[in-house]
Amino acid sequence: MAHPSHPSELPGPSLAISPLPNPSQLEVADGAHFDVVIIGSGAGGGTLARHLAPSGLKILVLERGDWLPQEPENWNAEEVFQKGRYISKDVWYDKHGKPFQPGSHYFVGGATKMYGAAHFRLRQQDFEQLQHFDGISPAWPLRYSDFEPYYQRAEEMYHVHGQRGEDPTEPPCSGPYPHPPVAHEPRIQKLVDDLRLAGLHPFHAPTGVMLDEANMAFSRCRRCNCCDGFPCLVHAKSDADVLGMRPALAAPNVSLLTRAQVRRLRTDASGQSVQAVELERDGEAMTVRGDVVVVSCGAANTARLLLMSANDKHPRGLANGSDQVGRNYMFHNSKAMVALAHEPNTTVFQKTLSINDWYLGDADFDYPMGNIQMTGKTNGTIMKGYAPLETFLMPGWSMDKIAEHAIDFWISSEDLPDPNNRVTIDGEGQIHLDYTPNNPTAAQRLYGRLTGMLDQLYLKKHLVERQIYVKNAMGVGAVAHQAGTCRFGEDPATSVLDLNCKAHELDNLYVVDTSFMPTIGAVNPSLTAIANALRVGDHLRERLGR
């Protein structure tokens, strides 16, 4: 007997967390041709792919990593912070030739899979020349007003929560945040109240999460303590996988090839355009072609790829006639600080507060200092991961007791562009990062402002410095905020890219990661990379008639 049908029944939820792409979108034939080939799927590349997807252009994204697995270990602090489960196996070399492991993450979505989703706009003054105590931060070739519409669109695309009008350094904005600010939990609200009584202007940190606090039963984000530095098990963090590549793949004209490491860009005989992209996938050599090729590998790896692509027309590396490729590497002067108080801190989602009162200086120091924000709430396992040598003999339970009383701050100051801070490669294509810290006074003053304020509020010294990466105490291994190496500008003699982020020396090569940035400011660079990808995407659609 046949079962009766029920055409009036509503469909239930899908088994998939995002639309399933056609299998043909995830395989590419050797020698295939595309309108646009994008190398890298992070904040720049993933955003660009989504932005171009509705155009109908035939787009290929190449990602050296794979999909980050959704597994219980995503939220296991020991696996993430002590065992480095999701850190790449790369080995780079410092200026002394000493090998180190960078904190790189190669997955669909790039570094955004592990970031804290702090989405700050650069300040209006960051686009202009700024005199620091220890040097000059040069002006950008464009101004904040050129980026503002794209910042607004970036905030909307990446579901940024915040509140206009609280931040004393906030630049002009064409609209409100797309979502209300993430609410402070009681201990952080108490800190906010104390800071305001002391005359400061703490504000809700702009945060990219898919959170609906008014309807938590239906919210994807759960306000957990596994956001900052963890991959999101439930795909509620606004990363370039969830909000870039997966929406892009809903368009049949977009393809993604994972485990595809690009080895070289090959030009035509004239050296004026990229003719082919040479890559290796699962041990097999492949070539793909694109009318336009966009590089978005991260500041260090983008420089590496261009340098590895040297030929007789570009003997110093592709787009490197100016000898600027790899130069002016920046990654912030940052400290992660733990404030220990008598009262316990039961906060779960801690990353809701920021302070910019000293960003551009104060009455006693007329130079920029930087930004203060919260990190995710630490526990004993995370603290042992941050500082393994210092905590080796301490049992986990004692670290947990310390962490119960900790409030965790991230202090960030600008490091200035220096042509001698640069990425080079050796004969094997290994990255060598020659970096000497600069602009130390700003970082020292900002640290002093925070410690002084907390001592004034709570009448005791209670800050201890913690490390951020295993074996790298805020050294060159901390690559999450890397920028520079392929700065954009109007003069081909002093820049790699033009104002549309096209290489001066090639007619079809673009760069859309943070390497385009002439300076880094003192806030997280992710939103600027996203906004710039949208800006370059508009240019490419116009160039390609879409």
Side-chain angles (χ1 to χ4, degrees):
M1 179 178 177
H3 293 286
S5 61
H6 299 280
S8 62
E9 288 185 357
L10 296 174
S14 169
L15 295 178
I17 57 175
S18 58
L20 288 174
N22 189 297
S24 65
Q25 293 176 260
L26 305 179
E27 293 292 337
V28 173
D30 187 22
H33 181 272
F34 295 84
D35 296 314
V36 181
V37 174
I38 302 170
I39 305 169
S41 63
T47 300
L48 180 64
R50 176 178 168 182
H51 185 44
L52 294 180
S55 68
L57 292 165
K58 190 179 179 185
I59 300 162
L60 171 64
V61 180
L62 299 171
E63 169 55 52
R64 69 182 290 180
D66 210 333
W67 301 97
L68 192 150
Q70 288 177 269
E71 55 187 1
E73 290 84 353
N74 288 171
W75 285 354
N76 185 309
E78 182 178 357
E79 288 289 335
V80 173
F81 288 93
Q82 292 188 26
K83 297 183 179 180
R85 185 179 184 86
Y86 303 109
I87 294 177
S88 77
K89 305 303 182 185
D90 278 5
V91 175
W92 296 0
Y93 296 86
D94 67 14
K95 64 182 180 181
H96 303 295
K98 181 179 178 181
F100 67 94
Q101 184 181 27
S104 302
H105 308 96
Y106 301 136
F107 297 100
V108 177
T112 68
K113 292 303 296 181
M114 307 293 288
Y115 74 167
H119 285 303
F120 292 85
R121 300 182 181 203
L122 286 175
R123 310 295 92 176
Q124 189 168 5
Q125 294 88 339
D126 286 323
F127 289 84
E128 301 161 5
Q129 180 172 298
L130 268 177
Q131 179 67 55
H132 287 250
F133 184 85
D134 294 313
I136 292 176
S137 180
W140 286 41
L142 297 177
R143 291 295 180 262
Y144 170 79
S145 59
D146 297 305
F147 281 81
E148 196 286 327
Y150 299 101
Y151 274 132
Q152 190 69 34
R153 288 163 58 181
E155 289 167 348
E156 292 164 2
M157 180 180 285
Y158 278 75
H159 292 285
V160 180
H161 296 247
Q163 180 66 52
R164 305 284 190 223
E166 295 182 321
D167 176 1
T169 68
E170 182 178 70
C173 302
S174 56
Y177 280 105
H179 301 284
V182 180
H184 301 307
E185 293 180 42
R187 182 65 187 88
I188 302 305
Q189 184 61 58
K190 174 66 165 57
L191 177 60
V192 168
D193 295 340
D194 291 341
L195 291 170
R196 285 176 176 162
L197 285 173
L200 296 182
H201 303 84
F203 60 95
H204 289 88
T207 305
V209 287
M210 282 168 274
L211 173 67
D212 185 351
E213 292 189 273
N215 300 283
M216 284 302 293
F218 297 90
S219 175
R220 184 182 295 190
C221 176
R222 310 314 305 164
R223 286 191 60 118
C224 73
N225 184 31
C226 296
C227 187
D228 194 6
F230 294 84
C232 183
L233 179 61
V234 297
H235 282 197
K237 179 159 59 177
S238 297
D239 64 45
D241 164 19
V242 176
L243 293 178
M245 285 311 308
R246 290 175 190 263
L249 287 168
N253 52 297
V254 177
S255 297
L256 168 68
L257 199 62
T258 59
R259 308 185 308 281
Q261 184 161 7
V262 176
R263 298 298 188 185
R264 182 181 179 86
L265 303 179
R266 191 170 74 235
T267 69
D268 60 11
S270 71
Q272 294 180 355
S273 65
V274 175
Q275 186 179 59
V277 178
E278 299 177 358
L279 62 102
E280 183 178 304
R281 188 178 196 234
D282 298 336
E284 297 292 328
M286 289 182 59
T287 298
V288 295
R289 301 173 186 275
D291 294 336
V292 167
V293 175
V294 182
V295 181
S296 187
C297 306
N301 277 301
T302 286
R304 174 179 180 263
L305 177 57
L306 297 182
L307 294 171
M308 287 177 62
S309 300
N311 59 32
D312 59 344
K313 299 294 184 183
H314 300 273
R316 292 194 290 193
L318 216 55
N320 197 28
S322 62
D323 193 31
Q324 290 297 307
V325 170
R327 295 188 183 274
N328 301 294
Y329 180 92
M330 301 165 285
F331 72 108
H332 280 143
N333 293 325
S334 297
K335 283 181 168 58
M337 311 299 300
V338 177
L340 301 176
H342 284 303
E343 65 272 27
N345 178 15
T346 60
T347 303
V348 178
F349 192 94
Q350 182 175 256
K351 201 174 173 69
T352 59
L353 165 67
S354 189
I355 304 168
N356 271 344
D357 289 79
W358 301 300
Y359 193 94
L360 297 169
D362 63 14
D364 297 319
F365 186 73
D366 192 24
Y367 300 96
M369 285 182 265
N371 167 262
I372 297 170
Q373 55 185 282
M374 314 302 292
T375 70
K377 183 70 182 74
T378 54
N379 57 36
T381 302
I382 294 174
M383 293 179 79
K384 287 180 77 69
Y386 277 137
L389 297 179
E390 292 81 348
T391 62
F392 179 75
L393 297 177
M394 300 182 70
W397 65 264
S398 65
M399 295 300 296
D400 284 333
K401 296 300 291 185
I402 292 172
E404 286 177 6
H405 293 262
I407 302 176
D408 310 273
F409 294 91
W410 181 267
I411 304 174
S412 183
S413 293
E414 181 172 358
D415 56 337
L416 303 176
D418 179 346
N420 295 314
N421 285 342
R422 66 184 302 196
V423 171
T424 59
I425 59 171
D426 59 25
E428 303 299 318
Q430 297 288 330
I431 288 177
H432 290 248
L433 182 53
D434 189 336
Y435 182 87
T436 300
N438 62 40
N439 202 27
T441 306
Q444 294 162 3
R445 293 296 182 109
L446 186 61
Y447 171 80
R449 293 298 190 274
L450 178 60
T451 56
M453 178 57 64
L454 293 177
D455 287 348
Q456 175 185 329
L457 291 175
Y458 304 119
L459 302 178
K460 64 194 184 81
K461 187 171 181 61
H462 55 318
L463 281 182
V464 295
E465 186 172 340
R466 80 176 186 216
Q467 295 177 334
I468 183 170
Y469 284 106
V470 175
K471 300 179 182 177
N472 291 283
M474 288 311 296
V476 290
V479 300
H481 291 186
Q482 60 181 288
T485 74
C486 294
R487 54 165 52 179
F488 81 144
E490 295 180 289
D491 185 356
T494 58
S495 59
V496 177
L497 310 171
D498 69 14
L499 298 188
N500 292 315
C501 289
K502 184 187 75 66
H504 287 297
E505 299 170 19
L506 294 104
D507 61 17
N508 69 336
L509 177 63
Y510 290 79
V511 174
V512 295
D513 56 29
T514 52
S515 59
F516 92 98
M517 297 172 66
T519 65
I520 196 172
V523 291
N524 311 53
S526 56
L527 192 71
T528 299
I530 293 165
N532 187 59
L534 296 173
R535 186 182 72 89
V536 175
D538 277 358
H539 161 76
L540 288 175
R541 291 182 71 158
E542 181 179 356
R543 168 178 171 159
L544 297 171
R546 302 299 176 95

